[in-house]
Amino acid sequence: MSELNNIALKIIGNGKGILAADESTGTMTKRLESVKVDSTSQNRLLFRKTLFSSESMKDCIGGVILYDETIKQSDSSGKKIPELISDSGALPGIKVDTGAKILANSKEEKITEGLDGLRERLKEYYKLGARFAKWRGVYIISKKFPSKLSIYANAHALARYAALVQESGMVPIIEPEVLMDGDHSSEDCFQKTSEVIKKCYEQLELHKIELKGTILKPNMILPGSSSSEKIDTLKTAEMTIQCLKESVPSEVPGIAFLSGGQTERDATKNLNQINLNNKTNFTMTFSYGRALQQSALKFWSKDIKNIKETQKVFNHRAKMCSLASKGEWNEKVDKI
Ligand code: 13P
């Protein structure tokens, strides 16, 4: 089992974090269409391999989460994508849930699916080079939500997934995401996120998960995106740390935040402040999708053959996130 702990530490230790490049084809199509690029399999691969072969992969990225399509692709020289990633020293990971569907008896909420046949799929992903996996539970937030039902059902699914992932020799990323949408306060986000995370660990314990071989991927504590409340970085960091200190067992080696719709700069600045204030034993780093890729995608879309310059944009963002994971970021260095 210490093998799983080693994998977890390799992914999130030494100022490294995770590049979440596991957008489903539907989500990736929306992202590409938003910058007027056709969402062909070739274009999705071209953008992704541009990132995976960037210089910053070596020092800033410890793991890359892939989607089923990408883990089975190769670059133009025939090199398999998981191999391209491991050549840089990072570990390939795989999103294994099959998406969030309407939760029966609480139809405004969702339950994440993908447990059927998961044991067999994990064996295949391991053979393809994956050493960690991701499953995302999503929770809406309002006065009556998330309901007890959605908190329980998603925690149960996350625990069953985590058990199968550890059985197959990989590290499960536990991602309970309390969405930013809504006009709720930061205090509401704190309360609901704490309840959600505590239930996850209750279920993980019941399912006998070795916590040292897991990584938690939570949201930061923030007011809703349409709330009139404004909180500064320091308050975000304090509330986020307090929530995690009270809800996460100390055996968990590390926490890799999702960006969840924050701008690249906010996600970096908040992570930096979290690390400046962090007195827990948890490593606190990033597992960003949008907050690592947004500028690079925008730049790349102007000329999809301009690999080198696109990589410069990505390298800068990855470097900023890596500095933030050590509490060494500042406004001045974040200029290109
Ligand atoms: P964002 O950082 O864009 O929220 O994506 C992270 C992720 O993997 C969501 O599941």
Side-chain angles (χ1 to χ4, degrees):
M1 195 49 83
S2 69
E3 179 55 24
L4 292 183
N5 183 240
N6 289 340
I7 294 175
L9 296 176
K10 190 165 180 218
I11 297 168
I12 55 170
N14 303 317
K16 293 185 181 183
I18 300 171
L19 166 60
D22 60 322
E23 299 85 359
S24 64
T25 301
T27 303
M28 196 58 186
T29 298
K30 277 190 220 145
R31 301 261 157 90
L32 290 178
E33 284 176 351
S34 76
V35 292
K36 304 199 167 32
V37 174
D38 283 343
S39 180
T40 59
S41 161
Q42 222 175 2
N43 283 345
R44 291 192 289 273
L45 176 62
L46 181 59
F47 178 64
R48 285 167 165 161
K49 77 174 191 209
T50 299
L51 306 187
F52 305 161
S53 50
S54 298
E55 185 59 35
S56 56
M57 287 286 297
K58 196 159 66 60
D59 296 324
C60 308
I61 307 293
V64 179
I65 317 173
L66 299 168
Y67 183 58
D68 181 75
E69 176 185 60
T70 326
I71 200 169
K72 294 171 180 165
Q73 287 173 317
S74 303
D75 69 8
S76 45
S77 71
K79 184 178 281 194
K80 299 208 162 29
I81 295 303
E83 205 183 317
L84 178 67
I85 292 166
S86 31
D87 280 356
S88 72
L91 290 174
I94 181 76
K95 185 231 294 288
V96 298
D97 66 65
T98 54
K101 311 282 157 56
I102 300 290
L103 175 63
N105 289 332
S106 183
K107 293 195 165 39
E108 284 166 83
E109 298 186 282
K110 291 193 169 158
I111 176 72
T112 302
E113 295 190 345
L115 289 169
D116 288 352
L118 181 56
R119 181 177 271 130
E120 289 68 34
R121 286 194 292 130
L122 288 169
K123 278 190 192 133
E124 187 194 357
Y125 288 137
Y126 189 95
K127 274 195 207 137
L128 289 166
R131 289 298 174 266
F132 70 103
K134 177 188 120 172
W135 179 289
R136 171 176 173 258
V138 280
Y139 307 82
I140 53 170
I141 172 167
S142 68
K143 280 218 159 40
K144 58 178 183 160
F145 294 130
S147 65
K148 295 267 178 252
L149 174 61
S150 119
I151 293 175
Y152 167 76
N154 277 294
H156 177 257
L158 272 162
R160 285 192 56 200
Y161 138 84
L164 287 165
V165 171
Q166 289 196 331
E167 180 190 274
S168 67
M170 297 191 266
V171 166
I173 292 191
I174 314 294
E175 182 179 7
E177 177 177 5
V178 177
L179 295 170
M180 236 187 351
D181 308 328
D183 60 1
H184 53 274
S185 64
S186 54
E187 185 54 36
D188 287 339
C189 179
F190 178 92
Q191 296 298 343
K192 309 279 181 169
T193 303
S194 303
E195 197 181 340
V196 160
I197 294 178
K198 282 178 183 158
K199 183 60 78 182
C200 285
Y201 284 105
E202 198 181 294
Q203 285 293 315
L204 289 166
E205 197 186 325
L206 189 66
H207 288 253
K208 304 182 168 41
I209 305 305
E210 180 65 42
L211 294 179
K212 280 190 186 328
T214 64
I215 295 169
L216 176 68
K217 175 163 174 165
N219 49 283
M220 294 179 191
I221 304 300
L222 292 161
S225 48
S226 50
S227 162
S228 54
E229 183 191 349
K230 296 272 168 283
I231 63 169
D232 63 17
T233 312
L234 186 59
K235 185 97 180 116
T236 299
E238 284 170 354
M239 290 180 96
T240 303
I241 293 169
Q242 196 191 335
C243 167
L244 297 169
K245 210 168 105 185
E246 291 170 4
S247 320
V248 183
S250 58
E251 300 96 291
V252 173
I255 290 165
F257 294 98
L258 57 93
S259 60
Q262 296 183 66
T263 63
E264 290 177 338
R265 185 170 279 258
D266 284 352
T268 312
K269 191 172 173 180
N270 286 334
L271 177 63
N272 189 62
Q273 193 64 49
I274 287 171
N275 277 295
L276 288 174
N277 284 42
N278 182 19
K279 290 196 178 61
T280 69
N281 290 326
F282 306 126
T283 296
M284 306 265 200
T285 188
F286 57 92
S287 177
Y288 293 164
R290 285 162 286 181
L292 269 173
Q293 299 183 52
Q294 225 156 42
S295 297
L297 180 65
K298 214 162 148 192
F299 186 91
W300 174 77
S301 69
K302 289 190 231 139
D303 174 7
I304 64 171
K305 296 213 172 67
N306 195 348
I307 308 292
K308 282 272 161 297
E309 296 300 314
T310 302
Q311 289 180 333
K312 275 193 197 159
V313 178
F314 175 70
N315 286 336
H316 173 75
R317 207 63 251 152
K319 178 102 192 291
M320 293 304 105
C321 289
S322 169
L323 287 174
S325 77
K326 297 180 277 190
E328 293 172 4
W329 174 89
N330 63 55
E331 303 272 356
K332 277 199 218 108
V333 293
D334 202 350
K335 292 209 174 77
I336 9 180

